[in-house]
Amino acid sequence: MTPVRWRRTRLRWVHLVLGGALLMPYYLLTAAVLATAVPGARPLESLWWQLAAYAVAVPLAVPTALFPLVRPLEATAARSLCGLPASAELASGPATSWDARSRTSLWYGLHLALGGLVSAATLTLPPAAVLLAALPFTDGSYARGLGWPTVFDGARALAPAAGLLLLAAVVALAAGAGALLARCAPALLGPTPADRLAAAEERAARLASRDRLARELHDSVGHALSAVTLQASAGRKVLDADPEFARQALAAIEETTRAAVGELDSVLGLLRASDEGEEGQEGEQGATGGGRPAPAPTLADLDELLARTRAAGVAVHLTASGPLDRLPPVVSREAYRIVQEGLSNVLRHAGRVPVRLRITEHTGEERELEVTMDNPVSGAARWRRTGGGRGLHGIAERTALLRGSCTWGPAEGRWRLTVRIPLGTAR
């Protein structure tokens, strides 16, 4: 046996002995009941009565595994001591379904049953092997007292070999029982279909939260950085010729960065509120003395966004119709981010060009909010930009989450972005 296999066998041996130790209270209780209730029962003296107590104690112990926390404890022990392959997947959480509890009960019964056998062999066979090894060097009186076969009376030289066979039998029993447990562990302690579904939903929720954070940071901080870049460039170019304009550019940069910090705080507060089940309240709560973050910006804050964009040198003409202040909070918030990203794209890819922004609430049979933004384009390179970057894909994701639609691309000599969000399905 190689050192690696010997170490694995020893660990499995320890795991089985632990199973025998867990079985012992049930075994002692069963033995006491049998000795009291059954006339002539001798569970502490007769091998057959000991086997009967063992056969009753194992089923008696199985219901213990119905407790949910037994599964993670058994899975931890199996992962540490059973020598499982690296690909073996064991459940880490409590058993919350009857399927998981029944599998854990089967494993627990198998662990205790095999552990009881291996523990009994470990306690009895090695001492017997030592006595057999010493038999040729003694008078052999203890052998007759123990009721051993008389074969050793005439051939004591065979006793040490028999002792070695007993030790080999103990090792083989431990190795075989350990291998059986290692084979059964993934099936009985592994995740159930319900566990896999819950894990998949949790991973999907984490990915959705991460994507949402990326969209919010891209739209809020990205717009501020684009505006600051244009303002800093303009101020640097006229610093000597027009110091007053440079001072105005620096003031605009200060205001833009201050607003970006506030929006970053609102983004983080929005994500925390969503994680804590406070969705829908963030649009009504502002920054308080208790340290609550400022509410996420909505279309009601559109004038400030347009003012910062105009300070970067982009003329924005707004046309709005309908009671925009009574839009559902989630629609108003997402529409603000869509407008913000659209203006960021203008700053990054078109420069200081005039922008037409139209926000219309259609109040017909199917109420919807329409946001249209267009600006002039020039140069062949701009006509080739049809796929969009992360910002446009972020707009598409925001719109899809609200069951809306969006289109973008060149139209009539201008770059046009159109977003339609149904108001009847907004949550």
Side-chain angles (χ1 to χ4, degrees):
M1 183 179 293
T2 63
V4 174
R5 294 186 63 184
W6 173 241
R7 180 179 181 275
R8 183 175 59 191
T9 300
R10 284 188 290 115
L11 289 176
R12 290 176 176 177
W13 203 335
V14 171
H15 185 242
L16 289 164
V17 171
L18 289 177
L22 292 174
L23 180 64
M24 186 57 63
Y26 303 96
Y27 175 81
L28 293 177
L29 176 62
T30 303
V33 171
L34 288 176
T36 304
V38 180
R42 296 179 300 160
L44 299 181
E45 301 177 11
S46 171
L47 176 61
W48 297 109
W49 281 108
Q50 290 173 1
L51 292 176
Y54 163 82
V56 175
V58 171
L60 186 65
V62 167
T64 306
L66 295 178
F67 289 97
L69 292 179
V70 172
R71 183 172 72 160
L73 294 175
E74 284 289 320
T76 301
R79 189 180 293 109
S80 302
L81 300 175
C82 269
L84 300 177
S87 59
E89 183 181 4
L90 300 184
S92 58
T96 56
S97 64
W98 283 109
D99 183 19
R101 293 178 185 179
S102 61
R103 295 187 187 191
T104 306
S105 298
L106 290 175
W107 164 266
Y108 194 68
L110 183 63
H111 182 199
L112 268 59
L114 295 177
L117 292 177
V118 172
S119 298
T122 302
L123 291 174
T124 58
L125 296 185
V130 173
L131 292 176
L132 286 174
L135 189 60
F137 309 102
T138 64
D139 58 2
S141 58
Y142 62 84
R144 290 186 294 273
L146 293 174
W148 284 357
T150 57
V151 64
F152 298 118
D153 292 341
R156 292 189 181 184
L158 298 177
L164 292 178
L165 288 177
L166 287 180
L167 292 179
V170 174
V171 174
L173 178 62
L180 178 59
L181 285 180
R183 181 176 293 273
C184 295
L188 298 180
L189 291 179
T192 63
D195 294 330
R196 297 183 186 277
L197 179 59
E201 291 176 347
E202 183 179 354
R203 286 194 297 269
R206 287 199 302 267
L207 290 175
S209 178
R210 187 171 63 182
D211 290 343
R212 184 182 185 187
L213 175 61
R215 286 196 305 269
E216 295 289 339
L217 292 178
H218 179 277
D219 293 352
S220 60
V221 179
H223 174 80
L225 292 178
S226 298
V228 166
T229 300
L230 284 180
Q231 292 162 348
S233 175
R236 178 181 58 82
K237 292 177 180 178
V238 299
L239 179 60
D240 296 329
D242 193 349
E244 180 61 27
F245 180 84
R247 281 193 294 269
Q248 293 177 0
L250 291 175
I253 291 173
E254 179 184 2
E255 181 62 27
T256 302
T257 53
R258 184 182 294 111
V261 171
E263 286 199 22
L264 179 61
D265 181 65
S266 69
V267 167
L268 298 178
L270 174 64
L271 294 175
R272 293 192 193 101
S274 178
D275 291 340
E276 296 171 2
E278 297 177 356
E279 185 72 36
Q281 298 179 10
E282 66 272 14
E284 302 172 4
Q285 295 172 334
T288 64
R292 297 187 63 84
T298 64
L299 290 179
D301 306 299
L302 193 59
D303 290 341
E304 299 177 7
L305 174 64
L306 299 184
R308 294 195 300 270
T309 305
R310 290 169 180 141
V314 175
V316 182
H317 177 69
L318 171 64
T319 302
S321 63
L324 302 183
D325 57 340
R326 293 198 296 271
L327 290 172
V330 65
V331 173
S332 185
R333 184 178 66 239
E334 296 301 314
Y336 177 92
R337 292 301 187 195
I338 289 171
V339 172
Q340 187 178 47
E341 176 55 27
L343 294 176
S344 299
N345 285 338
V346 173
L347 292 172
R348 283 193 293 266
H349 304 292
R352 296 180 178 87
V353 298
V355 177
R356 295 186 306 195
L357 172 62
R358 293 187 298 275
I359 303 177
T360 306
E361 179 185 0
H362 299 287
T363 57
E365 183 177 350
E366 294 184 0
R367 297 178 60 229
E368 68 174 9
L369 180 71
E370 181 180 353
V371 178
T372 303
M373 184 182 306
D374 61 73
N375 59 272
V377 294
S378 60
R382 305 206 182 275
W383 293 104
R384 290 196 298 267
R385 191 178 181 275
T386 58
R390 294 181 180 178
L392 291 176
H393 288 304
I395 291 176
E397 291 174 356
R398 291 180 184 277
T399 307
L401 288 174
L402 296 176
R403 303 181 184 179
S405 62
C406 65
T407 58
W408 61 76
E412 301 177 358
R414 305 177 68 86
W415 181 272
R416 180 171 299 165
L417 168 68
T418 303
V419 175
R420 292 182 176 86
I421 303 174
L423 300 179
T425 59
R427 291 184 299 173

